[in-house]
Amino acid sequence: MTATVIDGKAVSLKIKEQVQMRVETLKQQGVVPGLAVVLVGDNSASLTYVKNKQKTCEALGMRSDLLQFPESMAEADLLSTIDKLNNDPGIHGILVQLPLPSHIDEFSVIMAIDPQKDVDGFHPVSVGNMVIGHETLLPCTPHGIIKLLEHYDINPEGQHVVVIGRSNIVGKPVGQMLLQKNATVTFCHSKTQDLAKHTKQADIVIVAIGVAKFLNSKHLKPGAVVIDVGMNRDEKGKLCGDVDYEDVLETASFVTPVPGGVGPMTIAMLMENTVQSAENGLTKDKTGTTM
Ligand SMILES: Nc1nc(=O)c2c([nH]1)NC[C@@H]1CN(c3ccc(C(=O)N[C@@H](CCC(=O)O)C(=O)O)cc3)C=[N+]21
């Protein structure tokens, strides 16, 4: 039985349609959701992703500001730029493209973003709220993965989920969010002994380690769901994931392709977070309280 390919592109389109409707409703109330993307340096991959975010934003009728600065930008200048964006009523979401040049401390930059505008969901207040299950802006890639599972009626409740990779951007948050959904979660990483012992027991395996085609059918029990968060280039320079896609097709029940799986969901959830933040702002203005 060949695995069902999870179509992240199709699901992301559905989410963007819903976002577009919410933008229209906000515009009728005089609010145009605004996203500010800050790019320091001229890393070509980052520039592609940032332009993609901008294009999507505008296609959905939102305001999209791109602030681009030279690699040599001083940390203090970046922090004051963020401060201005925090206080700009026309900006509802702030995303500072990572990685930053090594002379800038990423944690200080993330801490400087108003949690109300933290559309990456990286701020400790956002992360803390997510871990305790309190309403908050959720990290885009993990939230996109949850939406893919929902779309294909893959219910994580009571399922054994094995997450490989423990980054603050994907591995750690996606495991916490699935725990919130009553999954049994195992976090694996570079120091895990006998990885296959864990992954072969998994109903759902999520791979986010940045190693091309790392996971294969020997790691899986038949029928496992495979979510590939990798973004690598293979020997021919072609985009590929952390999963040996061809090899797992006959063993997995579902698999996400790269490209066309988790990636488009990351963008769609960023758009949703921006609209959510604008709606929260409206609620706050009406009731005087923060959501
Ligand atoms: N503060 C911050 N937030 C981020 O969310 C963030 C970041 N920094 N730095 C870089 C990574 C990377 N990232 C991607 C998002 C979508 C695709 C995406 O749409 N990928 C397409 C393929 C795109 C292509 O063809 O290259 C796909 O997988 O189908 C890729 C990469 C967000 N990032």
Side-chain angles (χ1 to χ4, degrees):
M1 173 73 173
T2 307
T4 300
V5 178
I6 288 181
D7 186 346
K9 214 154 174 47
V11 180
S12 70
L13 283 176
K14 274 176 64 66
I15 288 174
K16 288 188 285 191
E17 277 163 20
Q18 290 156 5
V19 166
Q20 192 155 20
M21 257 113 81
R22 291 166 68 179
V23 171
E24 292 316 314
T25 306
L26 280 164
K27 282 183 166 176
Q28 282 152 22
Q29 302 170 72
V31 174
V32 179
L35 172 67
V37 178
V38 182
L39 178 62
V40 181
D42 49 9
N43 168 312
S44 59
S46 293
L47 201 54
T48 314
Y49 296 140
V50 162
K51 292 246 182 283
N52 192 352
K53 288 167 189 168
Q54 247 198 328
K55 203 160 77 320
T56 307
C57 232
E58 281 152 13
L60 299 179
M62 296 198 271
R63 169 183 159 185
S64 164
D65 290 6
L66 170 57
L67 294 85
Q68 197 170 351
F69 299 98
E71 179 89 11
S72 58
M73 177 187 213
E75 182 177 306
D77 294 341
L78 178 53
L79 296 177
S80 63
T81 299
I82 291 169
D83 208 38
K84 279 196 211 88
L85 293 169
N86 283 339
N87 296 307
D88 181 342
I91 291 294
H92 303 93
I94 301 169
L95 182 149
V96 179
Q97 190 74 6
L98 299 180
L100 284 167
S102 54
H103 69 276
I104 297 179
D105 176 46
E106 287 188 357
F107 184 71
S108 307
V109 169
I110 290 168
M111 283 295 282
I113 297 172
D114 175 351
Q116 299 290 323
K117 300 190 177 183
D118 173 32
V119 287
D120 263 324
F122 294 166
H123 191 288
V125 166
S126 306
V127 174
N129 282 330
M130 179 269 290
V131 170
I132 59 179
H134 185 67
E135 179 108 6
T136 187
L137 293 173
L138 293 168
C140 301
T141 299
H143 198 190
I145 291 168
I146 301 271
K147 291 281 187 183
L148 287 176
L149 295 176
E150 280 172 7
H151 183 85
Y152 284 86
D153 293 325
I154 300 166
N155 183 357
E157 172 137 346
Q159 298 288 288
H160 184 195
V161 173
V162 171
V163 180
I164 311 175
R166 51 177 159 174
S167 73
N168 289 331
I169 293 182
V170 182
K172 285 181 192 169
V174 74
Q176 285 294 343
M177 289 169 71
L178 285 164
L179 174 64
Q180 282 293 107
K181 299 235 176 239
N182 304 322
T184 300
V185 183
T186 300
F187 289 89
C188 292
H189 43 78
S190 56
K191 303 288 186 291
T192 296
Q193 307 286 326
D194 189 1
L195 178 71
K197 185 183 75 177
H198 302 282
T199 55
K200 284 179 82 76
Q201 295 170 36
D203 302 301
I204 300 171
V205 181
I206 300 173
V207 209
I209 52 173
V211 178
K213 302 184 183 176
F214 171 82
L215 189 97
N216 58 47
S217 53
K218 291 187 201 62
H219 291 102
L220 301 174
K221 77 175 177 186
V225 174
V226 177
I227 306 291
D228 186 354
V229 193
M231 246 180 344
N232 313 290
R233 295 278 166 191
D234 67 15
E235 56 287 347
K236 296 185 221 77
K238 203 163 143 291
L239 196 63
C240 71
D242 290 347
V243 172
D244 184 342
Y245 181 78
E246 295 307 324
D247 183 73
V248 305
L249 278 177
E250 294 312 314
T251 311
S253 55
F254 290 86
V255 62
T256 60
V258 176
V262 173
M265 293 302 294
T266 299
I267 301 289
M269 300 320 289
L270 173 64
M271 300 301 129
E272 185 176 287
N273 275 352
T274 305
V275 158
Q276 185 61 57
S277 170
E279 290 169 351
N280 294 346
L282 211 58
T283 312
K284 192 171 75 172
D285 294 348
K286 278 195 186 127
T287 60
T289 53
T290 314
M291 275 291 289

